[in-house]
Amino acid sequence: MQKQALITGITGQDGYYLARLLLSKGYEVFGMVHGQSHGRLESLRRDLPDLRVVRGDLLDLSSLLRALELSDAAEVYNLGALSFVGSSWATATVTASVTGMGVLNLLEAVRLRCGEDVKRIRFYQASSSEIFGRAREVPQSESTPFWPRSPYGVAKTFGHYMTVNYRESYGLHASSGILFNHESPRRGPEFVTRKVSQGVSRMALGLQDRIVLGNLDARRDWGFAGDYVEAMWLMLQQPDPDDYVIATGRQKSVRELLDVAFACVGVDDWTDLVVVDEENVRPAEVDSLIGDASKAEDRLAWRPKMSFEELIRLMVESDLAKLKA
Ligand code: F7E
């Protein structure tokens, strides 16, 4: 029998990769979109013609109940959030609402829809390595204490604990994937990997003369979004819900990102091509993150496939091709 899945945050990078994965597995996939129109929806419909669209808003409980009813989803993936850490200080209240309270609203809608049959719907929450913030342990695992450093990180921490709480309080099949940074050619240009891949490509074509960045010493564990959505699906196929760190276990700095990206267009020394502007430095930075995904490896048999170098090359080549077209 065909299974139904509902994805919030469908217009984001992960929404696309997850919907594509579920469609390839034979699911009927419903993507939730808020507002009357969404710029990226048209291209998403073109790329994934079998995707069904439902209207709903993470801030509107009755719209969530309606989306669950309409889709009759057996699996719900909550990817919807205001996800740019850098702007979360300027929009702290709305970030807390959508990225934090939105999780509670959706959990509540799932609980109400399930009624007595608490396992009728399986729920995935997109948690984030930003909850570790000023990390108290290296590498970070499911048992590392949280110390979020931005309004975004605080909101994600709330969503994470709410997911655990609904599992423990009501017995919901609710899992939380603590995903470290994951990128792709579909990443928004506000995030550093895409800002760099776009900038390098534009410079190679003579369309731009420098890239303006913030903290070049920040270190992250960067993986490929296409690999990470597999982990989301695997979590919901387990008999019991749980929390899992999803990461590569390898760390690079923004400087190393620049080395790899510029090398793709034959530039060895980028020092005169990159400018640091304090505007891009955050009030409280997360200096260094690296994940330990051994639980996911043991229990889900999940492993990342794409290396950092392959990922950055893919992004630069995709940006070059788009610009040339
Ligand atoms: O920053 C530094 C910046 O914005 C990475 C989101 O998906 O992953 C993402 O959050 C690092 C930071 O991602 C610029 O200060 C330097 O240290 O690409 P980002 P993020 O903040 O790590 C987590 C897991 C999420 O959950 C989030 O939703 O790069 N950096 N210069 C810069 N970052 C940006 N954006 N722009 C710069 O010019």
Side-chain angles (χ1 to χ4, degrees):
M1 241 179 54
Q2 193 180 30
K3 245 190 198 175
Q4 279 75 28
L6 175 68
I7 303 174
T8 71
I10 191 68
T11 53
Q13 160 194 268
D14 292 5
Y16 166 79
Y17 284 106
L18 179 63
R20 195 179 71 169
L21 176 75
L22 297 181
L23 288 167
S24 77
K25 290 184 185 294
Y27 281 70
E28 188 176 11
V29 182
F30 294 81
M32 197 178 87
V33 181
H34 65 92
Q36 286 190 314
S37 63
H38 196 294
R40 273 175 284 176
L41 189 56
E42 223 167 277
S43 68
L44 191 63
R45 282 189 198 269
R46 236 186 350 260
D47 294 342
L48 299 174
D50 293 332
L51 178 75
R52 310 267 312 262
V53 172
V54 285
R55 301 282 158 183
D57 195 310
L58 286 169
L59 301 181
D60 181 341
L61 179 66
S62 63
S63 79
L64 298 175
L65 280 165
R66 207 170 302 133
L68 288 174
E69 195 183 331
L70 222 138
S71 59
D72 196 21
E75 294 180 11
V76 173
Y77 296 85
N78 185 32
L79 313 185
L82 291 184
S83 63
F84 182 35
V85 176
S87 65
S88 72
W89 281 271
T91 56
T93 307
V94 69
T95 299
S97 300
V98 178
T99 307
M101 277 297 292
V103 185
L104 174 55
N105 286 336
L106 190 53
L107 281 164
E108 189 56 13
V110 167
R111 184 184 75 81
L112 290 170
R113 169 100 182 137
C114 284
E116 298 287 294
D117 185 6
V118 286
K119 298 276 193 290
R120 172 175 174 186
I121 297 175
R122 295 186 173 198
F123 178 85
Y124 171 83
Q125 167 58 16
S127 268
S128 160
S129 54
E130 281 294 301
I131 65 182
F132 298 124
R134 180 172 279 178
R136 290 200 241 174
E137 193 171 88
V138 181
Q140 295 84 52
S141 73
E142 294 78 6
S143 57
T144 302
F146 302 155
W147 188 344
R149 297 267 289 163
S150 62
Y152 170 83
V154 173
K156 279 286 180 187
T157 305
F158 174 86
H160 177 81
Y161 277 135
M162 268 303 167
T163 305
V164 174
N165 185 256
Y166 265 60
R167 179 166 79 218
E168 293 178 354
S169 306
Y170 303 111
L172 286 193
H173 193 296
S175 292
S176 183
I178 308 174
L179 269 55
F180 282 61
N181 297 54
H182 45 287
E183 320 293 313
S184 76
R186 291 189 169 250
R187 191 56 144 150
E190 63 274 36
F191 299 95
V192 75
T193 52
R194 186 75 197 290
K195 192 170 172 182
V196 167
S197 72
Q198 254 185 1
V200 163
S201 307
R202 290 178 61 82
M203 284 163 86
L205 299 176
L207 301 170
Q208 185 175 322
D209 55 13
R210 56 192 193 144
I211 307 178
V212 183
L213 294 174
N215 176 15
L216 304 188
D217 296 315
R219 302 180 71 81
R220 288 290 185 279
D221 179 332
W222 275 295
F224 172 50
D227 290 344
Y228 285 34
V229 297
E230 299 249 0
M232 298 176 186
W233 177 76
L234 283 168
M235 282 177 220
L236 296 207
Q237 310 319 306
Q238 304 310 303
D240 297 312
D242 210 335
D243 306 322
Y244 296 91
V245 159
I246 301 298
T248 70
R250 290 180 66 216
Q251 192 190 48
K252 300 282 179 191
S253 65
V254 175
R255 283 179 203 282
E256 288 169 297
L257 161 67
L258 288 161
D259 288 341
V260 175
F262 273 107
C264 294
V265 295
V267 174
D268 293 331
D269 181 3
W270 47 262
T271 39
D272 293 337
L273 306 174
V274 173
V275 177
V276 171
D277 183 339
E278 290 299 310
E279 275 277 299
N280 292 316
V281 176
R282 298 173 181 178
E285 173 68 300
V286 171
D287 295 315
S288 173
L289 290 174
I290 179 165
D292 169 5
S294 45
K295 178 174 170 184
E297 194 172 329
D298 290 349
R299 308 224 186 132
L300 308 177
W302 178 85
R303 244 166 250 98
K305 297 188 193 97
M306 194 181 290
S307 74
F308 177 75
E309 290 73 15
E310 287 167 337
L311 169 64
I312 302 307
R313 176 162 289 280
L314 177 74
M315 292 176 72
V316 171
E317 281 173 1
S318 154
D319 278 324
L320 279 170
K322 274 185 211 147
L323 287 167
K324 284 177 187 161

